[in-house]
Amino acid sequence: MERKDFLRSLGAGAAFALTFPCLNGCSTDSEDLEQFPEPNGVDFTVDLTSTDAAPLANNGGFILVKSSPSLGYTDIVVARNLEGNLIAASQICSHQQTEEVRFISEDGGVFRCSTHGSRFDQDGTPLNSVTSNPLKVFNTELNGTTLRVFE
Ligand code: FES
């Protein structure tokens, strides 16, 4: 029996199930993702007059920062929200720990992870069903042109 005859004999549903068994993912996504530890013990400052901090001059702007100089990757999102307040959250997503969290100006300003589309309120509350784990957020304190980000 030829392959197509075999599949036809099974019926369309079974043929589809045999032919495309992984359309919704056979494995957990985390197996293929590079994952990072959630930032801990965060306490650093940002010089708002520096070139690196220039995006924070505008509402909706954000920068990615290392919580520690020894890190080989950035792990904190510092943003100026749409009301002009400086806020900070983990760049490491609470869903599957990718480093894809950014601040976006949609819906009044939210944190979003591009890996699977999770969205978080500015206090870290999950806004969709991708994850129920809150995003870690940090305190901010402005002293002149120096922003302190801390837990
Ligand atoms: S890792 Fe899945 S939404 Fe961020």
Side-chain angles (χ1 to χ4, degrees):
M1 180 183 286
E2 299 260 338
R3 182 172 184 266
K4 67 181 179 183
D5 294 330
F6 171 70
L7 292 175
R8 191 178 299 130
S9 72
L10 292 175
F16 183 84
L18 284 172
T19 311
F20 303 103
C22 295
L23 277 184
N24 291 318
C26 290
S27 60
T28 61
D29 290 341
S30 60
E31 290 176 12
D32 301 325
L33 297 174
E34 188 174 4
Q35 296 179 295
F36 299 83
E38 185 177 69
N40 248 322
V42 169
D43 193 348
F44 64 88
T45 59
V46 176
D47 176 3
L48 297 178
T49 65
S50 68
T51 305
D52 289 345
L56 296 176
N58 303 311
N59 291 0
F62 71 87
I63 60 173
L64 305 177
V65 183
K66 295 178 184 178
S67 63
S68 166
S70 63
L71 285 182
Y73 54 91
T74 57
D75 61 346
I76 307 285
V77 183
V78 179
R80 186 176 292 278
N81 70 12
L82 303 186
E83 291 75 41
N85 300 313
L86 291 160
I87 58 175
S90 171
Q91 187 188 331
I92 312 305
C93 185
S94 59
H95 179 223
Q96 292 185 357
Q97 292 73 51
T98 66
E99 87 297 27
E100 296 297 334
V101 173
R102 307 290 187 268
F103 184 78
I104 61 170
S105 296
E106 294 174 11
D107 299 329
V110 298
F111 291 103
R112 178 180 186 278
C113 176
S114 60
T115 306
H116 308 106
S118 63
R119 296 163 75 97
F120 304 90
D121 208 343
Q122 293 178 29
D123 66 1
T125 303
L127 294 173
N128 61 20
S129 60
V130 176
T131 182
S132 58
N133 301 328
L135 184 69
K136 192 168 185 177
V137 296
F138 303 99
N139 300 306
T140 58
E141 182 180 270
L142 188 59
N143 299 306
T145 58
T146 300
L147 177 70
R148 181 182 174 214
V149 178
F150 60 103
E151 291 189 43

PDB file of all heavy atoms in Angstrom, residues 12-13 15-27 29:
ATOM      1  N   ALA A  12      -9.250  11.528   7.239  1.00  0.00           N
ATOM      2  CA  ALA A  12      -8.561  12.814   7.255  1.00  0.00           C
ATOM      3  C   ALA A  12      -8.033  13.173   8.637  1.00  0.00           C
ATOM      4  O   ALA A  12      -6.908  13.643   8.784  1.00  0.00           O
ATOM      5  CB  ALA A  12      -9.492  13.911   6.742  1.00  0.00           C
ATOM      6  N   GLY A  13      -8.814  12.943   9.687  1.00  0.00           N
ATOM      7  CA  GLY A  13      -8.387  13.341  11.030  1.00  0.00           C
ATOM      8  C   GLY A  13      -7.166  12.581  11.479  1.00  0.00           C
ATOM      9  O   GLY A  13      -6.191  13.160  11.967  1.00  0.00           O
ATOM     10  N   ALA A  15      -5.024  11.009   9.552  1.00  0.00           N
ATOM     11  CA  ALA A  15      -3.897  11.356   8.691  1.00  0.00           C
ATOM     12  C   ALA A  15      -3.265  12.659   9.147  1.00  0.00           C
ATOM     13  O   ALA A  15      -2.042  12.786   9.208  1.00  0.00           O
ATOM     14  CB  ALA A  15      -4.371  11.466   7.246  1.00  0.00           C
ATOM     15  N   PHE A  16      -4.099  13.624   9.521  1.00  0.00           N
ATOM     16  CA  PHE A  16      -3.576  14.912   9.995  1.00  0.00           C
ATOM     17  C   PHE A  16      -2.782  14.720  11.279  1.00  0.00           C
ATOM     18  O   PHE A  16      -1.682  15.245  11.430  1.00  0.00           O
ATOM     19  CB  PHE A  16      -4.738  15.885  10.225  1.00  0.00           C
ATOM     20  CG  PHE A  16      -4.285  17.258  10.634  1.00  0.00           C
ATOM     21  CD1 PHE A  16      -3.908  18.186   9.671  1.00  0.00           C
ATOM     22  CD2 PHE A  16      -4.224  17.618  11.964  1.00  0.00           C
ATOM     23  CE1 PHE A  16      -3.477  19.440  10.036  1.00  0.00           C
ATOM     24  CE2 PHE A  16      -3.796  18.873  12.338  1.00  0.00           C
ATOM     25  CZ  PHE A  16      -3.420  19.788  11.366  1.00  0.00           C
ATOM     26  N   ALA A  17      -3.351  13.892  12.168  1.00  0.00           N
ATOM     27  CA  ALA A  17      -2.671  13.669  13.450  1.00  0.00           C
ATOM     28  C   ALA A  17      -1.329  12.984  13.263  1.00  0.00           C
ATOM     29  O   ALA A  17      -0.366  13.274  13.964  1.00  0.00           O
ATOM     30  CB  ALA A  17      -3.561  12.843  14.370  1.00  0.00           C
ATOM     31  N   LEU A  18      -1.249  12.077  12.298  1.00  0.00           N
ATOM     32  CA  LEU A  18       0.017  11.384  12.050  1.00  0.00           C
ATOM     33  C   LEU A  18       1.019  12.264  11.317  1.00  0.00           C
ATOM     34  O   LEU A  18       2.219  12.186  11.543  1.00  0.00           O
ATOM     35  CB  LEU A  18      -0.242  10.128  11.209  1.00  0.00           C
ATOM     36  CG  LEU A  18      -0.843   8.944  11.943  1.00  0.00           C
ATOM     37  CD1 LEU A  18      -1.211   7.854  10.937  1.00  0.00           C
ATOM     38  CD2 LEU A  18       0.128   8.413  12.980  1.00  0.00           C
ATOM     39  N   THR A  19       0.502  13.105  10.437  1.00  0.00           N
ATOM     40  CA  THR A  19       1.379  13.903   9.594  1.00  0.00           C
ATOM     41  C   THR A  19       1.892  15.139  10.303  1.00  0.00           C
ATOM     42  O   THR A  19       3.016  15.562  10.126  1.00  0.00           O
ATOM     43  CB  THR A  19       0.630  14.321   8.308  1.00  0.00           C
ATOM     44  OG1 THR A  19       0.029  13.166   7.760  1.00  0.00           O
ATOM     45  CG2 THR A  19       1.592  14.924   7.303  1.00  0.00           C
ATOM     46  N   PHE A  20       1.050  15.758  11.130  1.00  0.00           N
ATOM     47  CA  PHE A  20       1.421  17.016  11.794  1.00  0.00           C
ATOM     48  C   PHE A  20       1.275  16.902  13.309  1.00  0.00           C
ATOM     49  O   PHE A  20       0.510  17.621  13.926  1.00  0.00           O
ATOM     50  CB  PHE A  20       0.533  18.168  11.284  1.00  0.00           C
ATOM     51  CG  PHE A  20       0.607  18.353   9.807  1.00  0.00           C
ATOM     52  CD1 PHE A  20      -0.411  17.897   8.988  1.00  0.00           C
ATOM     53  CD2 PHE A  20       1.708  18.972   9.230  1.00  0.00           C
ATOM     54  CE1 PHE A  20      -0.345  18.073   7.616  1.00  0.00           C
ATOM     55  CE2 PHE A  20       1.776  19.141   7.853  1.00  0.00           C
ATOM     56  CZ  PHE A  20       0.748  18.694   7.040  1.00  0.00           C
ATOM     57  N   PRO A  21       1.990  15.970  13.906  1.00  0.00           N
ATOM     58  CA  PRO A  21       1.784  15.750  15.341  1.00  0.00           C
ATOM     59  C   PRO A  21       2.311  16.875  16.226  1.00  0.00           C
ATOM     60  O   PRO A  21       1.976  16.942  17.388  1.00  0.00           O
ATOM     61  CB  PRO A  21       2.561  14.453  15.602  1.00  0.00           C
ATOM     62  CG  PRO A  21       3.623  14.457  14.561  1.00  0.00           C
ATOM     63  CD  PRO A  21       2.998  15.089  13.347  1.00  0.00           C
ATOM     64  N   CYS A  22       3.114  17.782  15.707  1.00  0.00           N
ATOM     65  CA  CYS A  22       3.764  18.760  16.577  1.00  0.00           C
ATOM     66  C   CYS A  22       3.340  20.196  16.294  1.00  0.00           C
ATOM     67  O   CYS A  22       4.063  21.132  16.637  1.00  0.00           O
ATOM     68  CB  CYS A  22       5.270  18.646  16.454  1.00  0.00           C
ATOM     69  SG  CYS A  22       5.887  17.075  17.064  1.00  0.00           S
ATOM     70  N   LEU A  23       2.211  20.375  15.664  1.00  0.00           N
ATOM     71  CA  LEU A  23       1.821  21.741  15.333  1.00  0.00           C
ATOM     72  C   LEU A  23       1.741  22.630  16.556  1.00  0.00           C
ATOM     73  O   LEU A  23       2.059  23.808  16.499  1.00  0.00           O
ATOM     74  CB  LEU A  23       0.466  21.761  14.612  1.00  0.00           C
ATOM     75  CG  LEU A  23       0.540  21.496  13.117  1.00  0.00           C
ATOM     76  CD1 LEU A  23      -0.837  21.637  12.491  1.00  0.00           C
ATOM     77  CD2 LEU A  23       1.534  22.400  12.428  1.00  0.00           C
ATOM     78  N   ASN A  24       1.290  22.110  17.652  1.00  0.00           N
ATOM     79  CA  ASN A  24       1.195  22.916  18.867  1.00  0.00           C
ATOM     80  C   ASN A  24       2.366  22.674  19.809  1.00  0.00           C
ATOM     81  O   ASN A  24       2.320  23.054  20.951  1.00  0.00           O
ATOM     82  CB  ASN A  24      -0.125  22.661  19.584  1.00  0.00           C
ATOM     83  CG  ASN A  24      -1.283  23.194  18.797  1.00  0.00           C
ATOM     84  OD1 ASN A  24      -1.211  24.288  18.251  1.00  0.00           O
ATOM     85  ND2 ASN A  24      -2.343  22.405  18.694  1.00  0.00           N
ATOM     86  N   GLY A  25       3.379  22.034  19.293  1.00  0.00           N
ATOM     87  CA  GLY A  25       4.582  21.847  20.097  1.00  0.00           C
ATOM     88  C   GLY A  25       4.590  20.511  20.790  1.00  0.00           C
ATOM     89  O   GLY A  25       3.724  20.197  21.587  1.00  0.00           O
ATOM     90  N   CYS A  26       5.555  19.662  20.463  1.00  0.00           N
ATOM     91  CA  CYS A  26       5.658  18.368  21.119  1.00  0.00           C
ATOM     92  C   CYS A  26       6.390  18.482  22.441  1.00  0.00           C
ATOM     93  O   CYS A  26       6.164  17.728  23.354  1.00  0.00           O
ATOM     94  CB  CYS A  26       6.429  17.397  20.236  1.00  0.00           C
ATOM     95  SG  CYS A  26       5.521  16.920  18.787  1.00  0.00           S
ATOM     96  N   SER A  27       7.305  19.415  22.493  1.00  0.00           N
ATOM     97  CA  SER A  27       8.099  19.546  23.704  1.00  0.00           C
ATOM     98  C   SER A  27       7.748  20.853  24.378  1.00  0.00           C
ATOM     99  O   SER A  27       7.115  21.719  23.786  1.00  0.00           O
ATOM    100  CB  SER A  27       9.578  19.535  23.351  1.00  0.00           C
ATOM    101  OG  SER A  27       9.869  20.620  22.491  1.00  0.00           O
ATOM    102  N   ASP A  29       8.432  24.496  25.531  1.00  0.00           N
ATOM    103  CA  ASP A  29       9.241  25.524  24.897  1.00  0.00           C
ATOM    104  C   ASP A  29      10.547  25.751  25.647  1.00  0.00           C
ATOM    105  O   ASP A  29      11.537  26.143  25.057  1.00  0.00           O
ATOM    106  CB  ASP A  29       8.464  26.836  24.836  1.00  0.00           C
ATOM    107  CG  ASP A  29       7.315  26.746  23.854  1.00  0.00           C
ATOM    108  OD1 ASP A  29       7.351  25.850  22.997  1.00  0.00           O
ATOM    109  OD2 ASP A  29       6.404  27.560  23.943  1.00  0.00           O
TER     110      ASP A  29
END
